Amino acid sequence: MLILAIDTALDHCAAAVLDTDVGEMRAHESQPMKRGHAEALMPMIARVVRQSGVSFAALDRIAVTTGPGSFTGLRVGLSAARGIALAAHKPVVGVTTLSAYAAPIVSEDSPHPVISAIDARHDQVYFQVVGGGGNELVAPQVAPIEDALAAAHLGAVHLVGNAAGLLAARWPADAEAPASVDMQAAPDIAWVAWLGAAADPERAPARPFYLRAPDVKLPADMPQAAAQTAAS
C-alpha cells in the first residue's frame, strides 16, 4: 500500500510517501514553521511525490493529521488532503496528533503508559493517556496542566509531545519519575503514515479533531443577532 501522509497541525509542515509492502518511506520532508503552511505545503507534497517515484494515481490512500493543533494549520492540511483524494479518486483518513505522538512508544510494547501532551497555552494542555499496548486510559481532552499531572499516579509514564517538558518540569516530587521525556515540536511524519495505513476509513474521518472552540473575540459593539450568528 502506498500512503501519502500530510501534517500541518503544529509548528511543522511535513509530507511523506510510505510503501507498506517494503516497510519503508519512499520520500519524506519536514520543515519547522509557525506560519506559512498554506504556501509551503503543496510544493512540498509535489517534491515528495516526485522523489518517491510514484504518481498521485498510484497512491492507495491519503493520511492527514486532524488535531489537536493550530486551527489554521489543520485547515491547510485537511483541505490539501481532501483535494488530492478527490482529484485522484482515493480514500482519505484522519490521524490525531496525540496518537501520532504516542505511536512509536506503543510500537515498542512498553510496559509503561504514555502521556501525549500538546501545549494549549494559558497553562493548559491537550493530552491523552494510553497504556503501553495502546489501550486508552484517559480520553483526549484539553485541561489545566495540573489535571494532566494527575496521571502521575500511573507510575513511570512516558511523556511525549511539544508539552512533554512542561509536564516534566512540574511533575509531582512524590511521584515516580517519568520513564522518558521526549520533547517533539511535531510527531514523526512516518508514524502519521503508518497509522494512516492501519486506519479504518469508516472510523477515521478526515475532519478537524477539535477539543475546544477557536479563540475568537467578538467586538463589544457587535449587534446581538450578529454575535449569535458568528458564534454558532
Side-chain angles (χ1 to χ4, degrees):
M1 185 182 291
L2 292 170
I3 309 293
L4 171 63
I6 299 168
D7 176 30
T8 56
L10 298 169
D11 291 344
H12 264 66
C13 183
V17 173
L18 167 68
D19 186 338
T20 64
D21 290 339
V22 297
E24 64 182 31
M25 309 296 290
R26 282 179 170 259
H28 61 91
E29 185 177 338
S30 178
Q31 296 179 13
M33 63 180 66
K34 292 185 179 293
R35 298 178 182 84
H37 296 80
E39 294 77 17
L41 180 59
M42 291 309 295
M44 178 183 290
I45 291 173
R47 289 192 299 271
V48 166
V49 172
R50 183 172 63 252
Q51 291 165 11
S52 74
V54 304
S55 66
F56 283 99
L59 297 170
D60 293 294
R61 182 178 293 183
I62 319 296
V64 61
T65 46
T66 59
S70 158
F71 288 95
T72 301
L74 288 173
R75 286 195 293 270
V76 170
L78 285 164
S79 295
R82 290 168 178 165
I84 293 170
L86 182 63
H89 304 287
K90 307 295 181 180
V92 57
V93 296
V95 174
T96 73
T97 321
L98 295 170
S99 296
Y101 267 134
I105 302 173
V106 170
S107 73
E108 297 172 356
D109 199 22
S110 170
H112 305 294
V114 183
I115 302 179
S116 302
I118 296 170
D119 188 359
R121 297 181 294 181
H122 312 302
D123 208 41
Q124 294 187 321
V125 290
Y126 302 108
F127 81 101
Q128 178 182 27
V129 185
V130 297
N135 54 305
E136 186 176 277
L137 301 178
V138 178
Q141 59 190 273
V142 59
I145 290 177
E146 291 302 318
D147 287 8
L149 294 174
H153 76 276
L154 294 171
V157 303
H158 295 280
L159 301 177
V160 63
N162 70 9
L166 292 176
L167 296 187
R170 292 166 59 172
W171 200 249
D174 59 349
E176 191 171 358
S180 66
V181 179
D182 189 1
M183 278 286 294
Q184 296 180 26
D188 186 339
I189 189 63
W191 284 102
V192 175
W194 279 109
L195 289 176
D200 178 352
E202 297 298 322
R203 296 190 172 190
R207 60 171 179 251
F209 183 61
Y210 292 150
L211 293 177
R212 72 178 180 192
D215 294 327
V216 177
K217 294 183 178 179
L218 301 177
D221 58 351
M222 178 180 285
Q224 183 177 2
Q228 290 175 344
T229 299
S232 63

